[in-house]
Each structure stands twice: as structure tokens, then as C-alpha cells.
Amino acid sequence: MAFENNKPTIRNYGVDGMREISQRRAATIANMVDSAKSHGLDEGFAREAIGKYGRDNAEGMRSSMKNPDDFKEFASLFGSDHNRDIYEMETVEKTDDKLEIHFHYCPYVEEWKKQGRSPEEIARLCDITMEGDHEFAKAFPCLSFKLDGTIADGKNVCRLLFTRKK
């Protein structure tokens, strides 16, 4: 698993700068988890902190929405900001009941590769980091969220699925 498909195609000063910030975040997460382990601690603290970050982001999005419990409005907003270019997001399907987005690039995986992390470490760090996405989604009771494969697991894309609860 060499992550050979994790290659950016959108390149410009702004996007590259935002990716660098994301890579620094990835390095910080990995270094904190390593440090905690050296002190006999597990990764629970990182999951908790990243989960809170996800909840905070969700609260920001909810406060900007006319009806934060409307799946259709959620689907029209999610992935429409600067993150779209950072992660090279592709909206694969958007209906009244489903939103499927693929991420074609991950700056976190790129940073963890630079740090010399093994594929197993990269997958574990991704799982910890995705705690924020899971908690973000929980803030929207109108939907269910499924992470259906990631670049860190050796897939070509990260596949995010949101479905409207009926």
C-alpha cells in the first residue's frame, strides 16, 4: 500500500497553503499520539479532542443554516467551502435522500507518509482523525453518516455517504 493515487491535481498558491496547514495539523496529531503513548496513555484523549473539534465545526455550520434539520440544505452546503479544493472533493451523487462525496486527495496521508509512518499507522491515525467527521455528522439528526473506505486504508478515494433519516 504505497498510496500512489494520493496525488494532488489542483495546484495553486492558496490551495497549497491550506494543504500545508492541514499537513501541520496531521503532524501535530501524530506527534501528540506518539508522545502520549510514550507516557503510557492511549489515544482516547486525541479522539475526544478531535471529536469536540468536529462538534464545534458542526455547530458553526448549523448556525449558518436556515433549517439545520433539513437534509437537503445540509447537502447543498457540505463540501461547498474551501475544503472542496484541499481534498479535491467530487460530489458523486446528490439527491433529496443521499449525498455521496469522494475525496481524491488527503494532505494528512501525505504528511504521515513524509513522517515515515507505516500503512497500518497511517490507517490508525486516519481513524483517530475521522472522529471529528463522525461527531460532526451526529450534530445533524436528520442524517446518517458512513465512511465507506479511505485513502489511508489504501482505497483510491475517501468515500463519505450521508443519507437522510426518514
Side-chain angles (χ1 to χ4, degrees), residues 6-20 23 85-86 88 105 110 114:
N6 193 42
K7 301 282 183 213
T9 60
I10 300 171
R11 302 302 304 248
N12 65 57
Y13 183 77
V15 171
D16 289 346
M18 290 185 288
R19 285 183 177 144
E20 183 180 330
Q23 287 176 291
D85 287 343
I86 295 170
E88 302 198 13
Y105 178 73
E110 197 58 33
K114 287 180 190 173

Side-chain angles (χ1 to χ4, degrees), residues 6-134:
N6 193 42
K7 301 282 183 213
T9 60
I10 300 171
R11 302 302 304 248
N12 65 57
Y13 183 77
V15 171
D16 289 346
M18 290 185 288
R19 285 183 177 144
E20 183 180 330
I21 292 167
S22 294
Q23 287 176 291
R24 289 178 186 189
R25 212 178 299 142
T28 300
I29 291 167
N31 293 337
M32 287 186 344
V33 169
D34 288 348
S35 182
K37 185 177 180 180
S38 75
H39 292 284
L41 302 172
D42 69 15
E43 63 206 30
F45 81 95
R47 290 182 182 278
E48 183 179 321
I50 293 167
K52 181 175 183 336
Y53 174 77
R55 288 188 302 277
D56 290 347
N57 285 339
E59 189 53 43
M61 183 172 166
R62 286 181 64 83
S63 69
S64 74
M65 296 173 71
K66 290 178 184 167
N67 180 359
D69 296 318
D70 177 33
F71 180 81
K72 194 171 182 177
E73 184 178 2
F74 173 88
S76 73
L77 292 174
F78 186 85
S80 64
D81 61 4
H82 63 281
N83 289 303
R84 185 161 199 79
D85 287 343
I86 295 170
Y87 298 97
E88 302 198 13
M89 295 180 186
E90 172 192 8
T91 301
V92 176
E93 183 176 357
K94 182 164 59 169
T95 68
D96 289 347
D97 295 316
K98 182 178 178 184
L99 174 64
E100 180 175 342
I101 296 182
H102 292 181
F103 288 30
H104 291 272
Y105 178 73
C106 181
Y108 287 76
V109 168
E110 197 58 33
E111 180 60 30
W112 296 327
K113 280 175 34 185
K114 287 180 190 173
Q115 288 184 327
R117 306 280 174 173
S118 71
E120 295 77 21
E121 287 176 296
I122 290 172
R124 183 177 57 81
L125 287 166
C126 174
D127 185 60
I128 293 167
T129 302
M130 290 302 295
E131 195 70 36
D133 297 78
H134 289 285

